[in-house]
Amino acid sequence: MEDLSLHVLDVVDNCIAAGASRVQVEVCEDARSDRLTIRVADNGRGMSRRDLRRAMDPLFTTKAGKTVGLGLSLFAQAARESGGGMEVESRPGCGTAVQAVFGLSHVDRKPLGDLERTMRLLRASHPEIEFEYKHTVGDEEDKHETQA
Amino acid sequence: MKLKPEDLNKIRDKMKATARLRVAEGKAVVNVHLGTCGIASGAREILHAFVEEVEKSGSQDVIVTTSGCAGLCKREPMVTVELPGQPPVKYVDLTPEKVARIFAEHVLGGKIVKEFALAVGSERLG
């Protein structure tokens, strides 16, 4: 993956596969703490505790007919390479939240890429899902409201 | 019978799937495969190209949607085009330039672009 907006598209693809009707994407660039945080949360079917423990294992997937699941492990690797890390929270029947933290000024931090395009294409191709996108830079807030 | 919250979730998921099918009735469906493999190979630009083509054409009879990995990662980016009453056709190794032709000739024109399609001849194509 060349940039983080592609990772976000990949993580949201998991939300869609999990039957989510609502997906929230939050990006926060905080120069003071030198942290870039990306959080993707959905109200999909969630994961059991057992699956959650293995969610970042590239050789684990719950998809039928597949033996690998690289999406989350690549996102976690991108976060680690910039001095950060990734956490996944999930509850069966309630949803899943993936939060990755990056070193904002770290030389190995991937560029954000075209997040607007990622969100626009998700809305165009999945009108049945409510997408909420919020991008905060320092104190300035650039909020993109939900599109049905 | 008493319904539990998880039963309601199951009903919701089932109904959502049939609602999507009803929407697709009588329309062409372009399904861009957005697995990790697809995205890493450029599937977002393919999705963008199809959305732009639909907007440019003004057609109300084409649905562009996405799904996960189709199982043939090395031929990504891939899309599946399905016209009403016809079997689905998978296109592989796509570029935005190929999308323009597939959209004009197959999605709007109804004629499969055989040179970009996977395994034409090994499946019955109608």
Side-chain angles (χ1 to χ4, degrees):
Chain A
M1 299 277 177
E2 284 174 9
D3 62 50
L4 298 175
S5 71
L6 293 175
H7 281 286
V8 168
L9 184 63
D10 194 16
V11 175
V12 175
D13 184 46
N14 291 341
C15 306
I16 297 167
S21 60
R22 188 158 189 262
V23 178
Q24 291 168 289
V25 177
E26 284 179 50
V27 178
C28 178
E29 298 178 56
D30 185 357
R32 254 177 295 178
S33 64
D34 195 28
R35 283 280 176 262
L36 164 68
T37 307
I38 298 178
R39 182 180 160 85
V40 179
D42 71 43
N43 66 348
R45 71 177 67 90
M47 280 180 274
S48 68
R49 232 181 243 196
R50 193 158 162 256
D51 287 348
L52 181 59
R53 272 201 299 271
R54 300 193 64 192
M56 276 184 263
D57 176 353
L59 298 178
F60 176 74
T61 180
T62 56
K63 288 174 187 155
K66 286 184 66 190
T67 53
V68 294
L70 302 180
L72 282 182
S73 54
L74 288 174
F75 197 29
Q77 184 187 1
R80 280 197 305 271
E81 282 172 354
S82 71
M86 191 179 91
E87 282 179 11
V88 186
E89 289 168 28
S90 190
R91 275 178 62 198
C94 295
T96 301
V98 174
Q99 180 165 308
V101 178
F102 300 82
L104 182 62
S105 65
H106 197 288
V107 68
D108 288 326
R109 200 256 302 164
K110 288 186 188 183
L112 262 178
D114 197 343
L115 274 162
E116 301 279 342
R117 175 171 288 198
T118 285
M119 297 312 299
R120 191 171 82 80
L121 291 173
L122 282 167
R123 285 174 176 145
S125 56
H126 290 278
E128 76 284 9
I129 298 176
E130 194 182 318
F131 290 101
E132 198 176 291
Y133 171 52
K134 192 177 172 186
H135 188 167
T136 313
V137 182
D139 296 328
E140 279 175 324
E141 209 170 80
D142 178 18
K143 195 173 177 183
H144 297 254
E145 288 299 336
T146 305
Q147 189 174 313
Chain B
M1 192 183 83
K2 219 173 172 185
L3 281 175
K4 294 179 195 155
E6 48 267 38
D7 295 331
L8 288 173
N9 286 340
K10 275 183 205 157
I11 293 169
R12 183 198 62 191
D13 289 346
K14 204 174 151 193
M15 293 317 290
K16 211 161 66 180
T18 59
R20 187 85 180 140
L21 280 177
R22 277 201 304 276
V23 168
E25 247 171 51
K27 296 187 178 186
V29 178
V30 176
N31 193 340
V32 181
H33 297 282
L34 273 196
T36 306
C37 47
I39 295 169
S41 314
R44 189 178 67 176
E45 294 323 300
I46 301 305
L47 177 59
H48 177 70
F50 272 111
V51 168
E52 294 265 289
E53 291 290 346
V54 173
E55 283 172 6
K56 252 192 326 197
S57 74
S59 173
Q60 301 290 312
D61 295 324
V62 182
I63 291 176
V64 179
T65 189
T66 70
S67 66
C69 169
L72 201 56
C73 307
K74 80 170 191 179
R75 306 299 300 273
E76 295 280 3
M78 286 173 71
V79 303
T80 304
V81 174
E82 191 164 3
L83 301 188
Q86 291 185 26
V89 177
K90 281 196 162 56
Y91 288 104
V92 294
D93 304 322
L94 291 178
T95 61
E97 294 73 32
K98 290 179 182 175
V99 167
R101 266 195 65 192
I102 291 166
F103 189 80
E105 292 178 27
H106 188 179
V107 179
L108 295 182
K111 193 168 164 271
I112 297 169
V113 186
K114 291 189 177 180
E115 60 198 279
F116 305 150
L118 173 75
V120 171
S122 67
E123 288 180 33
R124 203 163 59 86
L125 291 170

